[in-house]
Amino acid sequence: MATTTPDGVRAQAEHGGGSGGDAPMTHRQIMEALSGLLLGMFAAILSSTIVTNALPEIIQDLGGGQSAYTWVVTASLLAMTASTPIWGKLADLMSKKALVQTGLSIYVLGSVVAGLAQNPAMLITARAVQGLGAGGLTALAQIIMAAMISPRERGRYSGYLGATFAVATVAGPLVGGVITDTSWLGWRWCLYVGIPFALIALVVLQKTLHLPLTRREVKVDWAGAFFISSSVCLLLIWVTFADNKFAWLSWQTYTMVGGALLLGLAFVFVETRATEPIIPLRLFRNRTITLASTASLFVGVAMFAGTVFFSQYFQLARDRTPTMSGVMTIPMIAGLFVSSTVSGQIITRTGKWKNILVSGGVLLTAGLGLLGTMRYDTPYWEIAVYMGLMGLGVGMMMQNLVLSTQNQVAPGDLGSASSTVAFFRSLGGAVGVSALGSVMSTRITHYATDSIGTLGPDERAAAAKAVGSGELPDMDALPEHVRTWLEGAYGHGIADVFLYVAPVALVALVLTVFIKEVPLRTTGGLAQAAAEKAELAAEAQPKS
């Protein structure tokens, strides 16, 4: 299968030259160009998922509590979220290849520092650096794909992105669990293991990715970048500490939320006057882009909640090892893998994408609602079915929301539009993980307090010590009845998280219903740009 692309997009020989004119890229040539991108994405996703099952042990070893547990995940998401629009805008202004290689280099640096962490603060900081690099990799992969491949063909290749996401997501917890359970390795190697993949990706990208460089004056909207980053950071700090360090309704809440809103308004004001805005506000005049971006916000909450809190459920509510915790999440990843690849093939053959989006919203909402009914002793096969439904829903929505947006914009806005959808998805994930982590702690404490009367006097003392230290408990060190009591509290509390997320997924479903299906274009972004340039040149020539 081939698609149309301008001169210079095909992989070129060392001493130059693409084919002349508009040259068709074969499937093999496209996959060669995408190979380094997929490898870089694999490294980035692996870094976020490989620590999932190791986190309880990492936090215990470094002496952190639930807040540190949440922030190890949130710091990476925060940096990814705040930097995604910046990466997207830079991709519209300068070399996409140089940018993705920069993202990989930043990721490697963060991984090295994270593996050397001596305390939770050092680990959280390093994870933020990792997130900065990962933000570039995830945003630029979508942007470069949009530049090379037409929306009609892109469904097929978006499936490869989804498959990479699924493989990295399932490999991460499994590999992380095995590394953590292997005494002569230890959890630090979970943070090092992505480095070789990133280094290989750098080499592969240098050899296979050749895009024509559009030379234009670079004007980065640093004021806009500052205001949007500050607004997001302040909002995430609030949701992390609310109901923990202070009440939801308190002067701290009013100050932080008010400050985040003021910074957000300042961002909007700056964007209306910037020559090259980080997020061009005119994009939101398009209903599809507005609805897809908002839906991505809610899909991000649902997606990241599942990947983060399942590890705690299986290890703390079901007393599984990190390795088994990874194995038990396979149904969710299998669902994501199947739906992302199959839906991409269907879209390429039919050109229809809206029904897939809506069906994904239905499955995601149903899966989350059913997961809200689980307890610490729920039969595993039931949980596997619920996870499978959730994975199917995420796989059908995540990539296709980006596709529907890319199909609506001019070539010069591909980077900004793609990164805007990714920004809202990451923002939803970061805010969701932070807020839901706080909610989960509150619900676990509620259920533990409510059922502590079932324990004897001596057991109550052990129970108070287990939950009063502020650190994650070591279940194996607890007496049997105390462990069962605490497993019940964790199982019920974590289930409540999924129950609260189900209405969020329902909102995403409703939003997708109102997205208008537009026929997919048959030319890629660079081909469109080349055609527009040729048309303008023809118009500029004097008529004979």
Side-chain angles (χ1 to χ4, degrees):
M1 187 173 294
T3 187
T4 301
T5 188
D7 179 31
V9 175
R10 291 175 52 174
Q12 300 174 30
E14 182 177 359
H15 295 292
S19 59
D22 286 347
M25 288 181 74
T26 65
H27 172 68
R28 177 179 178 179
Q29 290 166 336
I30 293 172
M31 289 307 300
E32 286 177 352
L34 290 178
S35 58
L37 287 173
L38 295 176
L39 198 57
M41 272 198 68
F42 180 82
I45 297 165
L46 190 73
S47 72
S48 63
T49 60
I50 199 169
V51 299
T52 304
N53 290 324
L55 267 180
E57 185 165 328
I58 292 173
I59 298 303
Q60 287 174 357
D61 190 30
L62 295 180
Q66 181 63 50
S67 178
Y69 186 106
T70 303
W71 264 101
V72 169
V73 177
T74 304
S76 179
L77 286 175
L78 170 60
M80 185 186 302
T81 301
S83 65
T84 295
I86 302 173
W87 287 109
K89 174 49 65 176
L90 290 175
D92 287 335
L93 301 176
M94 54 195 300
S95 169
K96 298 174 180 63
K97 179 176 178 178
L99 285 173
V100 76
Q101 290 176 318
T102 301
L104 281 165
S105 301
I106 293 172
Y107 164 79
V108 169
L109 174 63
S111 299
V112 171
V113 177
L116 298 173
Q118 300 299 309
N119 52 63
M122 184 176 177
L123 177 60
I124 290 168
T125 302
R127 291 285 291 172
V129 176
Q130 277 187 318
L132 181 62
L137 295 173
T138 52
L140 291 163
Q142 297 276 6
I143 293 166
I144 293 172
M145 180 180 290
M148 294 192 301
I149 308 167
S150 72
R152 180 63 184 268
E153 301 291 339
R154 204 175 304 147
R156 178 185 187 187
Y157 297 97
S158 293
Y160 292 117
L161 280 181
T164 300
F165 182 93
V167 170
T169 305
V170 71
L174 286 173
V175 174
V178 171
I179 291 174
T180 304
D181 289 338
T182 303
S183 58
W184 53 274
L185 288 175
W187 60 262
R188 293 184 185 277
W189 284 96
C190 294
L191 299 159
Y192 294 139
V193 76
I195 296 176
F197 293 102
L199 294 176
I200 294 172
L202 278 169
V203 176
V204 173
L205 281 167
Q206 185 62 33
K207 291 181 175 294
T208 64
L209 183 62
H210 298 276
L211 297 174
L213 177 60
T214 303
R215 299 188 180 278
R216 54 185 288 201
E217 185 180 355
V218 177
K219 293 182 179 179
V220 181
D221 177 20
W222 294 115
F226 168 77
F227 283 118
I228 194 171
S229 301
S230 300
S231 178
V232 170
C233 290
L234 190 56
L235 185 65
L236 289 177
I237 292 171
W238 167 63
V239 295
T240 300
F241 293 122
D243 203 34
N244 182 11
K245 303 296 184 182
F246 49 82
W248 286 104
L249 297 178
S250 62
W251 69 265
Q252 292 96 332
T253 289
Y254 304 141
T255 302
M256 290 185 178
V257 174
L261 290 175
L262 288 174
L263 289 167
L265 290 173
F267 168 73
V268 172
F269 177 80
V270 168
E271 295 303 272
T272 60
R273 286 159 173 75
T275 305
E276 297 282 358
I278 293 291
I279 300 179
L281 300 181
R282 57 184 163 75
L283 292 178
F284 295 102
R285 297 172 189 164
N286 185 300
R287 188 177 75 171
T288 295
I289 295 176
T290 301
L291 291 173
S293 298
T294 310
S296 291
L297 177 77
F298 296 110
V299 170
V301 175
M303 180 178 70
F304 286 103
T307 56
V308 170
F309 296 114
F310 274 132
S311 62
Q312 283 191 297
Y313 172 76
F314 287 119
Q315 291 185 55
L316 298 175
R318 299 185 79 101
D319 196 28
R320 303 300 187 206
T321 64
T323 301
M324 280 307 301
S325 179
V327 171
M328 295 174 88
T329 59
I330 286 179
M332 180 184 70
I333 308 307
L336 194 157
F337 180 90
V338 170
S339 64
S340 62
T341 52
V342 172
S343 66
Q345 295 285 351
I346 292 173
I347 290 172
T348 294
R349 286 200 302 267
T350 66
K352 304 293 185 181
W353 48 268
K354 181 174 178 178
N355 287 339
I356 290 176
L357 265 182
V358 174
S359 299
V362 172
L363 292 173
L364 180 58
T365 304
L368 288 166
L370 291 168
L371 284 167
T373 67
M374 68 184 182
R375 300 293 181 264
Y376 81 101
D377 56 353
T378 299
Y380 173 71
W381 70 266
E382 292 184 18
I383 298 174
V385 172
Y386 305 158
M387 287 192 296
L389 291 174
M390 177 184 170
L392 287 170
V394 171
M396 295 168 77
M397 297 190 78
M398 184 174 61
Q399 300 292 343
N400 294 323
L401 285 169
V402 178
L403 176 65
S404 66
T405 298
Q406 291 174 337
N407 190 50
Q408 293 280 311
V409 299
D413 288 328
L414 269 176
S416 296
S418 303
S419 61
T420 296
V421 178
F423 165 75
F424 279 102
R425 184 175 65 231
S426 297
L427 177 62
V431 173
V433 168
S434 298
L436 293 170
S438 177
V439 169
M440 186 187 71
S441 297
T442 301
R443 300 308 294 165
I444 291 171
T445 301
H446 166 75
Y447 291 123
T449 304
D450 194 50
S451 59
I452 198 169
T454 61
L455 302 177
D458 293 339
E459 292 172 334
R460 290 186 190 183
K465 183 178 179 181
V467 300
S469 63
E471 300 181 3
L472 295 179
D474 182 358
M475 292 295 190
D476 294 332
L478 297 176
E480 181 179 355
H481 289 165
V482 176
R483 185 175 67 187
T484 302
W485 160 78
L486 195 53
E487 285 176 349
Y490 267 95
H492 203 162
I494 295 172
D496 281 358
V497 169
F498 293 102
L499 194 62
Y500 297 156
V501 174
V504 173
L506 180 61
V507 174
L509 167 60
V510 173
L511 290 170
T512 59
V513 170
F514 290 99
I515 295 178
K516 181 180 179 181
E517 184 162 29
V518 177
L520 295 175
R521 294 171 179 166
T522 56
T523 54
L526 291 173
Q528 294 173 46
E532 290 177 5
K533 184 177 180 180
E535 184 178 343
L536 290 173
E539 292 177 354
Q541 290 180 354
K543 296 182 180 180
S544 58

